[in-house]
Amino acid sequence: MTWEDLDAHLDRVPGTVSAYVGRLDASPTWTRHPDAAHYAASTMKVAVLAALHRAAEAGTLDLDAPVPVVNEFDSARSGAPRFSCAQPYDNDDAVWDRVGGTAPLRWLAERMIVRSSNLATNLVIGHVGLPAVAEVWARTGARASVTGRGIEDFAARAAGITNAVTAADLAALLGALATGANAPGRLASPAACSAMLDVLLAQEHREDLAAGLPEGTRIAHKSGWVRGVRHGAGVVLPADAPPYLITVCTTTDPTDGDDETGADACLLIAHISAQVWAARHQL
């Protein structure tokens, strides 16, 4: 396979497929529409995770202090009523079991990533604030990625307030975490970056990027999906080659027969991941 072959294959795929592949702290080996904006889905949760750890390092939040687990949040749209999450659209009953009680922010942040809990995400955003998430994107040099609202904030969505990412920006964010784990980074201390990578390594949704890798390959990653959208962004840690970044963002027409799970998009992302793995020594 050549990168030209892969591009030719993706040219036949409906919708927009964006990608970024390359070593850490190096120019990318292959990109495809890397600056095209996509609806973020759950990939924005990585920026929320980074904002939380930055706040903890600044001493404004205690990761291990229990906080109330509620299901009512302020809308990003000024004057709009408060909003709630719907449990059927979440992926983690463990967080919902704690509604009315408390949970540590560290645990909520882990559930936000490993199970992609929407309720946990909104709880964390409620404590760190959207400006802190914007600061994370700014520090990584993001050009078009924005986290403008919480999840299921439909009033904000109707007002045009959205969450967007690009393949290049997601790669920059994950690259900042991966390089910061070994040296003082743009986002947080090496210890904090290492802790965040450990959470991403524990990811339980492995239907896309991870599915294209040999069993047991370490990958710190986050997926995101809604109807018509499926993204995967990660740092792959091969035992026989240097680490590399891979982000793939796919957006198709949601009325074009795509199912809720995005099975076709998962297969496509896994295929790209497998092709990049095969070329890992030449990146």
Side-chain angles (χ1 to χ4, degrees):
M1 179 217 72
T2 67
W3 303 115
E4 292 77 12
D5 292 336
L6 189 52
D7 266 319
H9 171 71
L10 296 176
D11 284 342
R12 298 190 292 272
V13 175
T16 302
V17 180
S18 301
Y20 181 108
V21 171
R23 300 261 186 246
L24 302 178
D25 276 351
S27 298
T29 302
W30 172 66
T31 63
R32 177 185 174 85
H33 308 313
D35 297 318
H38 298 257
Y39 176 66
S42 291
T43 57
M44 48 76 82
K45 295 172 183 177
V46 181
V48 177
L49 178 70
L52 177 65
H53 278 265
R54 282 173 51 80
E57 289 208 309
T60 58
L61 288 175
D62 180 352
L63 292 180
D64 296 309
V67 300
V69 178
V70 298
N71 185 22
E72 191 173 63
F73 309 98
D74 291 331
S75 173
R77 177 181 175 181
S78 179
R82 303 191 85 197
F83 71 96
S84 300
C85 290
Q87 187 170 2
Y89 295 102
D90 209 331
N91 302 288
D92 190 6
D93 289 338
V95 180
W96 288 86
D97 289 343
R98 299 215 186 183
V99 171
T102 64
L105 281 168
R106 188 188 306 275
W107 182 82
L108 290 169
E110 290 171 354
R111 305 311 294 181
M112 172 179 72
I113 298 297
V114 302
R115 289 300 306 162
S116 205
S117 169
N118 294 337
L119 179 58
T121 302
N122 285 343
L123 288 163
V124 174
I125 290 174
H127 286 275
V128 301
L130 290 169
V133 184
E135 176 66 15
V136 167
W137 287 120
R139 281 184 169 269
T140 61
R143 297 181 181 179
S145 295
V146 60
T147 303
R149 58 175 173 82
I151 298 173
E152 297 182 63
D153 184 354
F154 298 125
R157 185 180 71 177
I161 302 170
T162 192
N163 299 324
V165 293
T166 72
D169 289 347
L170 284 171
L173 173 57
L174 286 162
L177 294 180
T179 56
N182 298 308
R186 298 187 296 274
L187 289 179
S189 69
C193 288
S194 181
M196 287 185 268
L197 285 177
D198 285 343
V199 174
L200 291 163
L201 282 163
Q203 174 65 249
E204 295 179 12
H205 292 285
R206 302 178 61 85
E207 305 90 349
D208 43 57
L209 289 178
L213 301 173
E215 186 71 26
T217 302
R218 298 175 73 225
I219 176 172
H221 65 122
K222 184 73 190 79
S223 301
W225 63 94
V226 296
R227 182 181 286 273
V229 168
R230 184 84 195 199
H231 310 321
V235 182
V236 181
L237 304 162
D240 61 349
Y244 63 87
L245 294 160
I246 175 170
T247 63
V248 183
C249 300
T250 71
T251 300
T252 58
D253 183 347
T255 65
D256 209 19
D258 189 34
D259 60 82
E260 284 283 1
T261 62
D264 289 346
C266 285
L267 289 173
L268 177 66
I269 296 173
H271 171 74
I272 295 170
S273 182
Q275 297 302 311
V276 175
W277 172 264
R280 66 193 180 280
H281 296 293
Q282 288 77 48
L283 296 179

